[in-house]
Amino acid sequence: MKKTISLAALALVAATPAAFAQVTILGGGIAKECFEAAKYEKLSPGEGEEICTRAIESEALNPSNRAATYTNRGVLRMRAGKYDKALSDYETAKKLKPEAGEVYLNEGAAYIFLKDYPEALEALTTAIGLQSSDIHAAYYNRAIAKEKLGDIQGAYLDFQKAVELKPEWDLAEWQLSRFEVTTN
């Protein structure tokens, strides 16, 4: 008995929302303000980006916090639609802390926004392999990339994994509801 997974809807949602993650900064200072701007969205992305830039330029940060600050600035730049600048921040963060799965998660999200699904798939698979702290979001985003690349079964399985890792996540549950599973 073979299971077949197909899209229940005829058309995909044109702007499927991607998920991304902020990276926690230990300690205080401007870098922590940058993290809070990315996490809580109480400031405009531009205002948050300015805070992060000040932290990068003026604070003595250890490599981990510097990588986190670049990642958080990248998140804010993504929210402002500055995907290439966000990718530049993620590239810098990867050089500082290549084992940080959150960087690859956010990089994958940026590639999704740019509709570069092969690059998104590669980054998100790395995020999953590195056990990103928001691994449910990495599976969710990877599902989007797989679906856009025509791997419907892989997308379904990744959306399922996202719900398994974060039960009652409405967005991932909605994505799963678009599929129809049949047995042959």
Side-chain angles (χ1 to χ4, degrees):
M1 187 178 305
K2 181 180 172 188
K3 289 186 180 180
T4 305
I5 301 168
S6 61
L7 282 175
L10 294 177
L12 296 174
V13 175
T16 305
F20 40 88
Q22 304 75 39
V23 181
T24 304
I25 300 290
L26 301 176
I30 303 169
K32 185 173 182 193
E33 291 176 37
C34 168
F35 161 70
E36 291 172 349
K39 181 168 179 89
Y40 301 115
E41 300 183 54
K42 292 183 179 178
L43 302 172
S44 73
E47 291 169 320
E49 179 183 349
E50 288 175 19
I51 290 169
C52 296
T53 300
R54 277 198 345 258
I56 290 165
E57 292 174 349
S58 67
E59 286 195 316
L61 300 168
N62 66 37
S64 181
N65 282 346
R66 183 166 296 282
T69 302
Y70 273 103
T71 301
N72 291 332
R73 185 173 75 173
V75 168
L76 291 159
R77 286 177 163 178
M78 267 199 312
R79 286 190 188 132
K82 300 175 183 178
Y83 305 116
D84 290 330
K85 286 186 174 188
L87 286 169
S88 176
D89 279 346
Y90 302 145
E91 195 58 40
T92 301
K94 288 190 312 188
K95 288 176 185 170
L96 292 165
K97 194 171 180 189
E99 72 280 5
E102 296 77 18
V103 178
Y104 295 90
L105 165 60
N106 289 307
E107 180 181 54
Y111 282 124
I112 286 171
F113 286 118
L114 290 169
K115 296 181 174 36
D116 187 344
Y117 304 114
E119 289 292 333
L121 186 63
E122 183 178 327
L124 295 162
T125 299
T126 301
I128 290 166
L130 292 171
Q131 296 292 302
S132 171
S133 63
D134 290 312
I135 198 164
H136 64 281
Y139 276 102
Y140 176 89
N141 286 354
R142 191 171 76 170
I144 293 169
K146 284 181 174 182
E147 186 172 351
K148 297 292 186 176
L149 290 169
D151 181 2
I152 303 305
Q153 184 170 3
Y156 177 80
L157 294 172
D158 277 357
F159 282 133
Q160 256 189 337
K161 185 70 172 179
V163 170
E164 176 186 315
L165 293 166
K166 187 175 181 180
E168 299 180 31
W169 185 14
D170 291 342
L171 189 56
E173 287 179 347
W174 174 80
Q175 292 286 4
L176 277 174
S177 76
R178 298 182 305 107
F179 291 83
E180 181 178 303
V181 179
T182 58
T183 54
N184 294 343

